[in-house]
């Protein structure tokens, strides 16, 4: 309720022009607020900050800020729930992580459903990427350079160090401001201003000057990360040049990433010069990057018909073996245009060249489901899982095919497998509630709805759902005991919030 009151105050007392100007300035802080003291490119020593070693902001406090930010993102920012895209992003981050000087390497990855270029890193080890980053990064090396840059920011705990310089004594008090800044950047709306209103914002001008002085440090560390992880560091200046071109094209409305990561020609030149100091290596892109990129190109097409036309032009005179990503994009565009039979035909041709490629198999299952061929899709996914045990996109699709084929209990089992690995993905809890409902497991429905409500920050609803589940669970069973324990945790959190 307080959040909504703040929103009304901001939108009710400011003109649209002022709100637009304010939003743009706060959005510009989304990543700038996470920047830190200069650090030599080869010095990966973490600062002593927080925890038992002293310092202002502890890792626990950063984690709490991160939880609040994630809750707000879940409630307010449109996100991509596509398991194939999410799986690729996770694989990219896992390739880079061993080379990142980060103590806690448990990250939360966020995919924002926006065609604009943007990425961000926030307290609590949260890394976010807009779908649009795939559109503008023409190679996997370019895409990886942005992720490496964000991981460099995160590894140095820039946010905590910036707060320490501000000598604030209540770091958690600014969690609302951080949330608002992030939301303003990723949603391009006034939704984040409510979280900022009433807080003591840090000096905007000082932060912007500070970020311009220190973005280069994240670039340098990011280059080291790329080289060590087997990527081509030259992908970073190439990506920057793409952004500069886009900036010139958009005139007074630069790409969102540039409003949060100021980019100058001198910075591009510096990065290019540094990248050239690394040994020249021929690093080939993985096909999977270009398949995911094509999938998102179809997703962001102006209309489904335009998506089909775009990929039909690109595949008109090319064989599948020459441009598999374009042909795959055509299949995805067909699906979006409600032409599943055409999508199936294209995907079977792709599979004839690479029978074991998971992306083709999962997308073929999508095409079969769209034609109400649930049993065939189910069989296809079972065979794929036998060859690729525990694969996330296959398991996710199996949950869908089992449910479509009338096997709700099996679908529930696959969803629970996914939830054990990704308990923070609230859409999985919603789907589990649906599956449990069809399986007539009412306790399971209430439990899943409670966990969804917890992730969305609605503890009152979670409390009600857990009470319902506890009343229906047989006393003395492990399920009853588990529900009682969870109910106690939620009750304590509610009492703390009310205090």
């Amino acid at each position: 309720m307080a959040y909504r009151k703040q929103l009304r105050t901001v939108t009710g007392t400011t003109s649209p022009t002022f709100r637009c100007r304010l939003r743009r300035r706060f959005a510009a802080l989304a990543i700038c607020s996470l920047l830190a003291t200069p650090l030599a490119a080869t010095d990966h020593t973490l600062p002593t900050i927080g925890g038992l070693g002293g310092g202002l902001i502890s890792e626990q406090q950063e984690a709490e800020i991160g939880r609040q930010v994630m809750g707000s993102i879940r409630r307010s920012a449109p996100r991509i729930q596509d398991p194939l895209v999410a799986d690729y992003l996770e694989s990219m981050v896992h390739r880079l992580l061993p080379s990142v000087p980060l103590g806690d390497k448990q990250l939360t990855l966020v995919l924002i459903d926006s065609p604009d270029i943007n990425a961000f890193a926030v307290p609590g080890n949260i890394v976010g990427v807009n779908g649009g980053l795939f559109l503008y990064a023409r190679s996997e090396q370019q895409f990886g350079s942005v992720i490496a840059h964000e991981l460099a920011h995160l590894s140095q705990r820039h946010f905590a160090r910036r707060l320490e310089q501000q000598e604030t004594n209540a770091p958690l008090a600014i969690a609302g401001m951080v949330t608002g800044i992030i939301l303003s950047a990723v949603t391009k709306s006034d939704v984040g201003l409510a979280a900022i209103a009433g807080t003591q914002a840090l000096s905007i001008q000082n932060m912007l000057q500070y970020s311009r002085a220190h973005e280069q440090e994240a670039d340098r560390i990011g280059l080291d990360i790329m080289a060590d992880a087997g990527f081509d560091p030259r992908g970073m200046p190439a990506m920057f040049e793409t952004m500069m071109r886009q900036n010139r094209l958009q005139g007074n409305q630069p790409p969102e990433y540039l409003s949060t990561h100021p980019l100058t020609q001198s910075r591009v030149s510096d990065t290019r010069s540094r990248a050239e100091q690394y040994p020249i290596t021929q690093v080939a892109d993985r096909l999977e990057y270009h398949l995911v990129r094509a999938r998102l190109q179809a997703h962001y097409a102006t209309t489904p018909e335009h998506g089909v036309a775009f990929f039909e032009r690109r595949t008109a005179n090319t064989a599948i073996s020459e441009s598999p990503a374009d042909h795959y994009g055509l299949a995805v565009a067909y699906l979006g245009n409600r032409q599943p039979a055409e999508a199936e035909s294209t995907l079977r041709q792709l599979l004839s060249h690479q029978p074991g490629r998971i992306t083709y198999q999962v997308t073929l299952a999508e095409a079969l489901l769209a034609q109400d061929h649930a049993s065939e899709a189910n069989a296809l996914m079972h065979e794929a899982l036998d060859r690729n045990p525990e694969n996330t996109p296959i398991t996710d699709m199996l949950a869908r095919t089992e449910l479509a084929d009338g096997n709700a209990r099996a679908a529930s089992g696959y969803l629970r497998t996914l939830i054990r690995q990704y308990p923070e993905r609230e859409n999985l809890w919603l789907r589990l509630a649906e599956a449990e409902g069809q399986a007539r497991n009412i306790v399971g429905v209430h439990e899943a709805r409670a966990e969804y409500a917890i992730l969305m920050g609605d503890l009152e609803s979670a409390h009600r759902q857990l009470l319902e589940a506890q009343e229906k669970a047989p006393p003395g069973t492990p399920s009853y005991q588990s529900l009682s324990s969870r109910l106690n945790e939620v009750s304590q959190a509610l009492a703390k919030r009310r205090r």
Side-chain angles (χ1 to χ4, degrees):
M1 182 61 70
Y3 183 92
R4 292 180 180 175
K5 284 182 179 177
Q6 286 181 339
L7 181 60
R8 282 198 296 269
T9 298
V10 172
T11 58
T13 58
T14 59
S15 69
T17 301
F18 176 79
R19 290 200 306 273
C20 181
R21 184 164 61 250
L22 184 63
R23 180 169 65 247
R24 288 180 63 83
R25 297 191 77 188
F26 275 123
L29 292 178
I31 314 303
C32 302
S33 61
L34 309 178
L35 306 178
T37 311
L39 192 64
T42 56
D43 181 5
H44 286 167
T45 305
L46 289 173
T48 302
I49 183 169
L52 296 176
L56 196 63
I57 312 301
S58 71
E59 291 183 2
Q60 291 79 8
Q61 289 170 318
E62 282 193 73
E64 178 58 29
I65 293 172
R67 279 191 289 272
Q68 293 192 38
V69 170
M70 269 308 301
S72 293
I73 288 177
R74 288 189 182 104
R75 291 188 295 271
S76 305
R79 282 170 304 124
I80 297 170
Q81 306 289 4
D82 189 329
L84 287 170
V85 180
D87 191 63
Y88 172 79
L89 178 61
E90 186 175 344
S91 73
M92 165 61 77
V93 172
H94 284 173
R95 288 177 69 190
L96 292 167
L97 265 181
S99 305
V100 180
L102 189 62
D104 179 7
K105 298 193 177 184
Q106 294 296 315
L107 305 182
T108 297
L109 305 180
V110 182
L111 274 162
I112 303 297
D113 193 355
S114 167
D116 298 314
I117 306 175
N118 205 8
F120 58 90
V122 299
N125 279 9
I126 298 168
V127 175
V129 172
N130 276 19
L133 184 61
F134 287 90
L135 304 185
Y136 291 97
R138 294 177 176 270
S139 73
E140 188 173 38
Q141 313 308 308
Q142 293 180 21
F143 183 86
S145 73
V146 177
I147 306 301
H149 178 98
E150 297 307 323
L151 291 173
H153 279 314
L154 203 59
S155 72
Q156 300 308 307
R157 298 185 65 199
H158 287 164
F159 175 78
R161 296 169 69 187
R162 184 62 180 134
L163 285 184
E164 187 175 57
Q165 288 188 347
Q166 295 292 320
E167 297 182 351
T168 178
N169 292 316
L172 291 185
I174 55 83
M177 185 188 73
V178 175
T179 300
I181 289 168
I182 296 298
L183 289 178
S184 293
V186 301
T187 65
K188 287 188 170 182
S189 72
D190 289 338
V191 70
L193 298 183
I196 300 169
T199 61
Q200 293 298 315
L202 306 177
S203 170
I204 294 174
Q205 188 60 35
N206 286 344
M207 272 199 180
L208 290 175
Q209 292 175 347
Y210 184 86
S211 69
R212 292 187 182 104
H214 295 91
E215 273 290 284
Q216 288 182 329
E217 295 303 326
D219 295 341
R220 294 166 189 168
I221 295 172
L223 289 170
D224 281 348
I225 292 170
M226 290 186 72
D228 190 65
F231 288 86
D232 185 357
R234 290 160 186 81
M236 185 176 288
M239 187 67 201
F240 285 168
E241 286 161 0
T242 295
M243 292 179 182
M244 292 287 276
R245 284 195 299 271
Q246 190 65 20
N247 188 27
R248 288 192 291 269
L249 288 173
Q250 293 186 206
N252 293 330
Q253 292 184 326
E256 192 65 40
Y257 192 78
L258 297 192
S259 70
T260 56
H261 293 68
L263 186 60
T264 62
Q265 190 59 54
S266 63
R267 181 179 162 202
V268 176
S269 300
D270 178 69
T271 306
R272 185 187 300 111
S273 175
R274 289 178 178 277
E276 290 299 330
Q277 296 175 24
Y278 293 88
I280 296 177
T281 55
Q282 298 297 323
V283 182
D285 285 356
R286 293 179 297 171
L287 174 59
E288 195 61 29
Y289 173 75
H290 293 281
L291 296 179
V292 171
R293 183 171 185 255
R295 190 172 177 89
L296 287 171
Q297 285 175 316
H299 173 68
Y300 288 120
T302 309
T303 66
E305 294 83 2
H306 287 165
V308 170
F310 172 78
F311 282 107
E312 283 182 339
R313 287 194 299 272
R314 293 183 67 90
T315 58
N317 299 308
T318 62
I320 282 182
S321 58
E322 296 172 354
S323 59
D326 287 334
H327 285 270
Y328 175 72
L330 179 59
V332 176
Y334 279 143
L335 275 174
N337 200 37
R338 299 183 181 180
Q339 296 176 261
E342 289 83 348
E344 179 186 349
S345 175
T346 302
L347 289 161
R348 290 195 184 280
Q349 292 178 58
L350 286 162
L351 281 166
S352 71
H353 289 268
Q354 289 187 302
R357 183 163 287 277
I358 292 169
T359 300
Y360 298 161
Q361 293 172 326
V362 169
T363 312
L364 176 57
E366 286 184 83
L368 292 170
L369 280 182
Q371 299 174 83
D372 296 324
H373 299 163
S375 296
E376 187 179 353
N378 201 16
L380 175 67
M381 288 296 92
H382 273 288
E383 184 180 347
L385 192 65
D386 287 342
R387 291 195 300 269
N388 306 277
E390 301 181 2
N391 178 268
T392 298
I394 295 174
T395 304
D396 186 281
M397 182 53 69
L398 252 177
R400 296 182 186 277
T401 60
E402 292 283 15
L403 197 61
D405 206 26
N407 306 318
R409 192 172 297 278
S412 173
Y414 287 119
L415 287 166
R416 289 189 180 276
T417 296
L418 292 172
I419 283 170
R420 281 193 290 272
Q421 189 172 1
Y422 304 104
E424 77 287 351
R425 293 186 181 177
E426 76 282 359
N427 68 305
L428 293 177
W429 290 105
L430 272 184
R431 290 171 59 195
L432 178 61
E434 179 188 0
E436 295 289 25
Q438 292 192 28
R440 304 195 180 202
N441 177 9
I442 305 306
V443 172
V445 171
H446 289 302
E447 178 190 17
R449 287 177 177 171
E451 294 300 331
Y452 171 80
I454 290 169
L455 288 173
M456 300 302 287
D458 188 353
L459 296 183
E460 290 82 1
S461 177
H463 191 266
R464 289 194 299 272
Q465 293 290 341
L466 288 169
L467 280 174
E468 291 275 357
Q470 187 186 51
E471 289 175 2
K472 293 175 174 62
T477 62
S479 176
Y480 183 91
Q481 294 171 357
S482 175
L483 288 166
S484 298
S485 175
R486 192 60 164 155
L487 182 59
N488 184 54
E489 291 174 3
V490 171
S491 297
Q492 290 180 6
L494 267 174
K496 181 180 179 181
R497 176 184 290 181
R498 288 164 182 164
R499 287 196 299 270

